[in-house]
């Protein structure tokens, strides 16, 4: 077998950017790259290991022997080891064996920049390429029209392993099978976007993908990187955007992963107060190290560039930006100003968002951030973190707590269900009913609903309808749309058999129609992040547990009136104040019989009267269905 030959893809400028933390396309340089040198095909390997005294490539081609193919360290103190090995071709398995200067430690590591990995529990990297002829040009050119902040944004959150399984074969669908089944389903349900829980390679199934070892490799559990590209392409062909969960907050300590990579704390912070996560028993990235910042920002750019994804949902932002997150007194050290914010992580997130929005048109970043940190979705030039949107965790918590209560008790908790509007426009909020809410003994969403069978389903339909008429974008986790009865179990398929039952089928039909309503009524999305898009009619009727409000878009003719009845009491001749005269008609009603509701409707056009009501000069009367949300449009 040929020995390692001197070769490099790096220029001096690359090294300068890398050291400065400004190289945003490291995936084009580090890792394993199929190249031809002097007419000979082979693979160029490059790995960052500054504490190494020796780095060898081991793999199928040398019987995993570290005495055969030792890389050369660059002269420029970058800590990069590199070289060309002839005749190493696509599909070959490999790792790096690293002899450290630190106490003679020897590590055997997967490539941090590997494009493809063995399927767990196997841990080797695989030489691969990105060759793929994309056929989604039409989407890429027009996606800004679908992805802007004043467009409908309704997300179906999916865990690829458990969405649907081939029962007879006891396996998950492949990427190519999902390109048929999942794409068809998301389109049928009228969602505008799909969000995948982490698909980057991860060793431990119960982590659901949030403990990543292969940041640049889509998991091989479901197929090749090209198969994953095909899945994304099929979504795009059907005008559905693709969001990936991205985890720059922490990584596992598995022996083949990033932890203690070259015998030193290379990717993780060396101070355990900043480098170890007590909740997840994992390592925290060292945001103070420029090369690590380059690694992470390059990773964000990589998925957007190489896989055409349309957004990144950034996991666990709160754990990144607070030094005392989940720590007791004495387990953290204040910043230079004596405060709790982790300044390096804050600046990293700002830089990441600037790089993403500066390099790609029509994409979004979304923060899962659970605190009152100010300006998460404000531009960096205004002092914000620069995200496009932020999850509205307060709304999620308050809404779920409210709907758990028997309807007779809700009159004492009117403020719980209205409180979100006090801060709804302080950020660009996404309303999430996510996977975190249906695990670890919390019960499924349906399982929390009170009352008899009819009321439980009516409550669930009402909660979803309230969500879709509330300002903000939407996210619903798989199974919620069929009123999954059991908690989510990552090992099992969703309970698709439930759709044989009318009540479950009714909830699915309702979600499908809510998505259509949201997409086709401009006032529900055009000003979804602005107080100008919302006006209360009445939020003080606690005794009746009724809310009413107006949603507004760019054109006044698109205004709609929403009324929510959170009790099972039907109300005849219920009067609502409105801001203008005219005729209205019912365009949505969660109590329709096709949803397995009671079928109380307003079938005729309703004319406003010059009767002052709810502080407004005009008003009109409706029949208000029990446990329902009703929407009325002006004719």
């Amino acid at each position: 077998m040929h020995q390692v030959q001197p070769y490099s893809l790096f220029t001096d400028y690359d090294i300068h950017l890398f050291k400065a933390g400004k190289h945003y396309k490291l995936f084009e340089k580090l890792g394993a790259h199929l190249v031809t040198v002097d007419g000979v095909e082979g693979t160029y390997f490059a790995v960052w290991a500054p504490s190494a005294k020796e780095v060898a490539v081991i793999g199928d081609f040398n019987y995993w022997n570290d005495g055969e193919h030792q890389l050369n360290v660059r002269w420029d103190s970058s800590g990069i080891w590199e070289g060309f090995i002839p005749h190493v071709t696509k599909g070959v398995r490999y790792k790096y064996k690293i002899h450290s200067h630190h106490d003679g430690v020897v590590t055997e590591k997967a490539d941090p920049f590997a494009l493809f990995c063995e399927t767990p529990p196997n841990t080797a990297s695989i030489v691969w390429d990105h060759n793929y002829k994309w056929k989604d040009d039409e989407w890429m050119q027009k996606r800004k029209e679908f992805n802007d902040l004043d467009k409908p944004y309704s997300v179906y959150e999916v865990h690829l392993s458990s969405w649907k399984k081939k029962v007879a074969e006891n396996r998950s669908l492949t990427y190519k099978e999902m390109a048929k089944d999942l794409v068809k389903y998301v389109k049928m349900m009228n969602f505008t976007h799909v969000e995948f829980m982490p698909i980057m390679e991860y060793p431990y199934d119960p982590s659901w993908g949030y403990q990543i070892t292969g940041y640049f490799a889509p998991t091989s559990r479901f197929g090749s990187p090209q198969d994953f590209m095909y899945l994304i392409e099929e979504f795009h062909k059907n005008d559905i955007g693709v969001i990936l969960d991205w985890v720059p907050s922490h990584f596992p300590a598995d022996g083949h992963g990033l932890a203690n990579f070259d015998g030193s704390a290379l990717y993780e912070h060396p101070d355990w107060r900043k480098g170890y996560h007590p909740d997840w028993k994992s390592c925290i990235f060292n945001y103070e190290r420029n090369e690590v910042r380059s690694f992470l920002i390059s990773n964000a750019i990589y998925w957007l560039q190489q896989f055409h994804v349309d957004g990144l949902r950034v996991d666990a932002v709160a754990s990144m930006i607070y030094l005392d997150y989940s720590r007791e007194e004495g387990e953290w050290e204040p910043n230079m100003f004596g405060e709790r914010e982790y300044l390096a992580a804050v600046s990293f997130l700002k830089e990441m968002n600037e790089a993403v929005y500066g390099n790609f048109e029509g994409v979004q970043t979304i923060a899962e951030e659970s605190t009152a940190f100010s300006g998460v979705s404000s531009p960096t030039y205004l002092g914000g973190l620069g995200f496009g949107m932020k999850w509205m965790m307060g709304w999620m918590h308050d809404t779920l707590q409210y709907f758990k209560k028997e309807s007779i008790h809700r009159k004492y908790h009117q403020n719980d269900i209205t409180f979100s509007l006090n801060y709804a426009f302080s950020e660009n909020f996404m309303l999430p009913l996510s996977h975190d809410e249906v695990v670890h003994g919390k019960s499924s969403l349906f399982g929390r609903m009170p009352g008899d069978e009819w009321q439980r389903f009516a409550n669930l339909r009402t909660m979803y309808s309230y969500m879709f008429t509330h300002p903000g974008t939407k996210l619903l986790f798989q199974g919620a749309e069929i009123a999954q009865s059991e908690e989510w179990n990552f090992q099992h398929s969703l309970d698709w058999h439930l759709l044989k039952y009318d009540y479950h089928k009714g909830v699915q039909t309702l979600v499908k129609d809510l998505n259509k309503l949201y997409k086709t009524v401009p006032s529900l999305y055009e000003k979804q992040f602005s107080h100008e898009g919302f006006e209360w009619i009445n939020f003080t009727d606690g005794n009746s547990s009724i809310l009413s409000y107006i949603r507004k878009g760019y054109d006044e003719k698109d205004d709609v009136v929403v009324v929510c009845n959170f009790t099972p009491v039907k109300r005849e001749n219920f009067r609502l104040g409105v801001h203008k005269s005219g005729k209205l008609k019912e365009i949505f009603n969660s109590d329709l019989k096709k949803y397995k509701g009671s079928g109380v409707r307003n079938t005729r056009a309703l004319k406003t009267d010059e009767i002052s009501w709810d502080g407004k000069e005009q008003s009109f009367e409706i029949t208000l269905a029990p446990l329902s949300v009703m929407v009325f449009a002006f004719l």
Side-chain angles (χ1 to χ4, degrees):
M1 171 58 75
H2 293 77
Q3 296 301 303
V4 174
Q5 297 178 12
Y7 185 79
S8 184
L9 290 178
F10 281 90
T11 65
D12 290 346
Y13 188 54
D14 285 323
I15 298 300
H16 167 73
L17 291 174
F18 178 49
K19 289 180 176 179
K22 302 295 182 183
H23 202 308
Y24 299 157
K25 294 189 177 181
L26 277 178
F27 53 87
E28 295 177 350
K29 308 292 178 175
L30 287 170
H33 298 269
L34 292 162
V35 295
T36 301
V37 178
D38 297 331
V40 179
E41 294 181 352
T43 300
Y44 163 75
F45 293 92
V47 62
W48 179 50
S51 290
K53 63 180 179 182
E54 184 180 298
V55 178
V57 185
I58 58 176
D60 292 330
F61 52 91
N62 61 15
Y63 304 100
W64 303 89
N65 179 357
D66 67 338
E68 295 285 333
H69 296 97
Q70 295 177 347
L71 299 178
N72 306 304
V73 67
R74 288 183 61 90
W75 55 269
D76 50 22
S77 73
S78 63
I80 293 171
W81 299 72
E82 62 184 354
F84 171 73
I85 305 179
H87 309 301
V88 172
T89 55
K90 182 176 177 178
V92 167
R93 299 179 302 157
Y94 71 99
K95 281 186 178 180
Y96 297 115
K97 193 157 189 177
I98 302 170
H99 293 259
S100 176
H101 281 297
H102 288 271
D103 303 321
V105 172
V106 179
T107 60
E108 199 170 287
K109 295 292 187 179
D111 188 345
F113 285 84
L115 306 181
F116 197 24
C117 301
E118 282 191 293
T119 304
N122 298 322
T123 58
S125 303
I126 301 173
V127 176
W128 209 256
D129 62 34
H130 278 133
N131 293 343
Y132 188 76
K133 188 171 178 59
W134 284 93
K135 298 171 186 167
D136 64 349
D137 287 353
E138 185 179 345
W139 167 266
M140 295 299 283
Q141 289 168 14
K142 70 180 181 181
R143 73 173 171 187
K144 191 174 186 297
E145 301 170 24
F146 290 83
N147 234 22
D148 265 1
L149 294 175
D150 62 351
K151 296 295 189 292
Y153 212 97
S154 177
V155 182
Y156 187 55
E157 186 190 20
V158 176
H159 179 254
L160 291 180
S161 250
S162 62
W163 180 71
K164 184 184 286 187
K165 290 184 181 284
K166 293 279 187 182
V167 179
E169 303 167 51
N170 191 29
R171 66 168 178 85
S172 303
L173 302 184
T174 65
Y175 290 129
K176 288 209 163 180
E177 288 168 337
M178 292 175 207
K180 181 182 177 184
D181 291 10
L182 181 58
V183 172
K184 181 180 178 182
Y185 182 75
V186 175
K187 186 177 180 68
M188 184 268 287
M189 291 300 295
N190 291 317
F191 285 99
T192 65
H193 293 73
V194 67
E195 178 183 319
F196 299 141
M197 290 167 68
I199 53 82
M200 300 80 181
E201 195 60 82
Y202 57 99
Y204 187 51
D205 285 342
S207 79
W208 313 331
Y210 289 97
Q211 300 267 0
I212 295 170
T213 51
Y215 270 79
F216 290 82
T219 181
S220 58
R221 288 168 173 82
F222 316 116
S224 72
Q226 281 76 10
D227 293 341
F228 185 53
M229 292 174 181
Y230 177 73
L231 172 59
I232 293 171
E233 181 179 271
E234 287 301 300
F235 273 113
H236 287 171
K237 285 181 178 178
N238 287 277
D239 291 337
I240 297 165
V242 178
I243 305 163
L244 300 187
D245 267 17
W246 186 52
V247 190
S249 48
H250 66 118
F251 56 91
D254 292 61
H256 68 288
L258 297 177
N260 195 39
F261 187 80
D262 61 356
S264 72
L266 187 62
Y267 288 91
E268 66 269 35
H269 199 288
D271 183 342
W272 67 271
R273 294 173 295 182
K274 295 180 181 177
Y276 177 73
H277 201 296
D279 286 352
W280 303 318
K281 309 294 187 287
S282 55
C283 303
I284 299 172
F285 283 104
N286 185 356
Y287 309 109
E288 299 167 28
R289 191 163 195 166
N290 286 342
E291 295 91 341
V292 173
R293 293 166 76 107
S294 282
F295 170 83
L296 287 171
I297 296 176
S298 291
N299 190 242
I301 297 295
Y302 170 81
W303 292 104
L304 294 160
Q305 175 179 304
Q306 301 298 106
F307 286 84
H308 291 197
V309 302
D310 308 293
L312 297 171
R313 176 266 193 189
V314 183
D315 183 61
V317 170
S319 76
M320 298 170 65
I321 59 179
Y322 289 111
L323 292 162
D324 63 344
Y325 184 88
S326 200
R327 287 176 168 79
E328 303 296 330
E329 184 135 4
E331 295 179 345
W332 64 282
E333 185 178 44
N335 63 29
M336 59 191 291
F337 303 111
E339 297 170 344
R340 53 196 283 256
E341 289 78 16
Y342 188 5
L343 301 179
V346 169
S347 70
F348 159 72
L349 289 168
K350 290 181 178 183
E351 186 176 353
M352 180 276 297
N353 279 315
E354 288 170 354
V356 166
Y357 285 107
N359 281 279
F360 299 94
E361 186 176 45
V363 301
Q364 296 293 347
T365 60
I366 305 160
E368 188 230 358
E369 202 285 311
S370 55
T371 75
F373 189 93
S374 179
V376 172
S377 59
S378 294
T380 57
Y381 62 80
L382 294 178
L385 291 183
F387 285 94
M389 284 175 262
K390 169 183 170 171
W391 275 20
M392 198 176 190
M393 313 292 272
W395 171 89
M396 179 180 70
H397 176 268
D398 290 348
T399 299
L400 290 173
Q401 286 296 110
Y402 180 86
F403 273 91
K404 277 173 63 175
K405 294 177 170 62
E406 293 281 353
S407 58
I408 196 171
H409 300 306
R410 288 175 180 170
K411 62 185 176 182
Y412 304 113
H413 299 276
Q414 184 84 345
N415 186 59
D416 294 349
I417 201 67
T418 62
F419 183 69
S420 59
L421 271 304
N422 289 336
Y423 62 93
F425 309 113
S426 60
E427 299 274 4
N428 298 338
F429 278 120
M430 173 176 280
L431 312 183
L433 291 173
S434 73
H435 66 274
D436 281 325
E437 298 311 307
V438 292
V439 289
H440 302 322
K442 293 180 180 177
S443 181
S444 66
L445 297 182
F446 172 72
R448 301 181 198 197
M449 299 296 112
D452 59 23
E453 183 181 47
W454 185 89
Q455 287 190 27
R456 294 182 75 194
F457 281 97
N459 268 305
L460 192 66
R461 294 193 305 267
T462 300
M463 185 174 75
Y464 291 164
S465 303
Y466 165 65
M467 172 188 185
F468 272 79
T469 58
H470 186 290
T473 54
K474 330 294 176 188
L475 178 138
L476 205 58
F477 182 55
Q478 64 179 39
E481 82 283 6
I482 62 171
Q484 178 96 1
S485 306
E486 302 297 321
E487 273 197 344
W488 170 57
N489 185 329
F490 72 93
Q491 296 175 304
H492 300 157
S493 170
L494 296 183
D495 293 332
W496 294 106
H497 66 275
L498 293 174
L499 291 175
K500 294 187 296 185
Y501 304 103
D502 288 345
Y503 276 123
H504 292 273
K505 186 68 177 175
V507 171
Q508 186 192 46
T509 303
L510 173 102
V511 172
K512 179 180 176 181
D513 287 356
L514 280 170
N515 274 323
K516 184 177 181 182
L517 180 80
Y518 178 45
K519 290 199 297 186
T520 56
V521 176
S523 56
L524 292 179
Y525 60 80
E526 287 180 340
K527 294 184 177 180
Q528 57 195 344
F529 303 127
S530 169
H531 62 88
E532 295 176 351
F534 180 88
E535 181 182 333
W536 280 117
I537 295 174
N538 191 331
F539 61 91
T540 61
D541 192 0
N543 281 333
S544 301
S545 299
I546 293 172
L547 294 181
S548 51
Y549 43 88
I550 302 162
R551 293 297 310 277
K552 301 177 179 182
Y554 296 139
D555 193 326
E556 188 179 295
K557 70 177 175 58
D558 295 324
D559 292 356
V560 294
V561 173
V562 181
V563 56
C564 309
N565 182 6
F566 297 135
T567 71
V569 178
K570 173 186 172 183
R571 297 182 184 275
E572 304 273 6
N573 305 316
F574 185 83
R575 186 167 287 276
L576 284 162
V578 283
H579 56 308
K580 61 181 181 179
S581 61
K583 288 184 177 179
L584 299 98
K585 76 168 183 175
E586 181 184 292
I587 61 168
F588 175 82
N589 180 346
S590 67
D591 188 52
L592 296 183
K593 287 191 173 177
K594 69 173 175 174
Y595 309 136
K596 282 298 284 182
S598 63
V600 173
R601 301 179 62 185
N602 295 272
T603 55
R604 297 179 180 176
L606 305 161
K607 192 176 185 304
T608 61
D609 306 309
E610 289 187 20
I611 299 175
S612 180
W613 206 265
D614 295 321
K616 304 186 186 304
E617 293 183 0
Q618 297 282 326
S619 60
F620 70 110
E621 279 190 349
I622 64 169
T623 300
L624 182 56
L627 275 176
S628 71
V629 173
M630 307 174 87
V631 182
F632 299 87
F634 285 89
L635 295 173

